Structure formats: C-alpha cells, structure tokens
Amino acid sequence: DPGEPGLEGVMVQLISFGPDGALYVSQVCSGRILRIAAAPNAFVDLGQGLAGTAGVTPLLLGFGALLGGDPVNLDMTQGLPLGQANLVIGVSALSAAFKGGVLVPHPDIVLGGLPLNGAGALAIGFTWPTGVPAGVSTWYQYWNPDPGGAVGFSASNALRGTTP
C-alpha cells in the first residue's frame, strides 16, 4: 500500500483489465491515484480459467497493439511453481468442454512443455507479423498439467486479440 508510513513518494504502477475487457494502467503515489489510462492493447479477456493447486487459477495477460512489427507479450502468472505450460493458439474459437474446463481457442498451434519459474510464471514475447489485415482475431489460452486441478489440469483465462 503506497499510503503506508515510510512509503511516501513511492510510485506504484498497477495493470488491470476493466469491466469492458480493456487493459488499464494506473499510477498511484502516496495513496493517491495520479493517472488511469487505457493502454494501447488489442486483447480482450474471455474468462474460462480452470483452478489448479490450492484453488488458484492461472492468469494470462496479453500486451500489444497487434500492429505489424510491434512487440507482443503473452504472460502467465499463478501457475504451478516449476511446472509446465502449454500455450494453445487458435485462428478461431472452439469453446469446447476439455479436462474439466473450457478450451476456448481451436488448437491450431500448441506450444507444449514450456517451463514455469519458481513463482509459476512464464513470459513469451514475439514480434507481430506484418501484413495481417485489420479485424483478424486470434485466441490464446494456457493449459497446464497440475495435480491439484480438475482431471490433472489447470487453465488460464482465454484472450482474444484483434488487429486494429
């Protein structure tokens, strides 16, 4: 809490999804909100996460405007520490029952066996390709082997990214 004694003047930046699905960046200093701004972001949170160990649901955040040549990040937190993740990417939505949850992306691409760090997090960054027309959507979701999850799996929320 930046309003705590001894933390006066400390700037904290908070990143969150608003009720409209947009990404917001807030700056707080000494307990006062200085600025809230919608970050240029092409991702919408679709929900559909599946809790794993200790009832914790992995969280997927997507960052980027999806403009040709721009950076994109698909960051997951709250996974099983030192576990593995599988990033499912689809060019359409499937939204089918799977392993006790809902697999949102059609599994057109699956990047499997991605290592999670000791905090259960993973960051994947890449450059958005050039030439992708406006209005093209892609779907993303992490599925993770997790002994504490339904049928031995947990899943992050799903995201839909749409090019501007």
Side-chain angles (χ1 to χ4, degrees):
D1 177 11
E4 290 290 318
L7 293 179
E8 295 84 9
V10 172
M11 177 73 71
V12 176
Q13 184 167 294
L14 306 171
I15 299 173
S16 61
F17 282 105
D20 58 355
L23 186 73
Y24 287 86
V25 177
S26 306
Q27 290 181 340
V28 180
C29 184
S30 298
R32 292 188 325 262
I33 296 175
L34 302 179
R35 187 178 89 166
I36 298 177
N41 196 33
F43 293 96
V44 174
D45 184 4
L46 303 174
Q48 301 299 336
L50 177 63
T53 297
V56 177
T57 302
L59 176 65
L60 169 57
L61 295 173
F63 302 96
L66 303 187
L67 296 170
D70 280 1
V72 176
N73 278 77
L74 298 172
D75 300 344
M76 189 191 76
T77 61
Q78 302 177 179
L80 183 65
L82 301 176
Q84 291 187 348
N86 302 293
L87 177 58
V88 181
I89 303 170
V91 295
S92 63
L94 180 63
S95 296
F98 181 72
K99 301 286 186 185
V102 177
L103 176 61
V104 176
H106 187 278
D108 296 309
I109 299 171
V110 179
L111 302 175
L114 304 170
L116 301 178
N117 67 19
L122 169 67
I124 292 182
F126 59 96
T127 301
W128 190 255
T130 58
V132 180
V136 171
S137 292
T138 47
W139 287 259
Y140 307 87
Q141 188 176 31
Y142 281 100
W143 278 82
N144 314 316
D146 187 331
V151 195
F153 279 85
S154 64
S156 72
N157 55 303
L159 298 178
R160 181 185 69 234
T162 304
T163 56

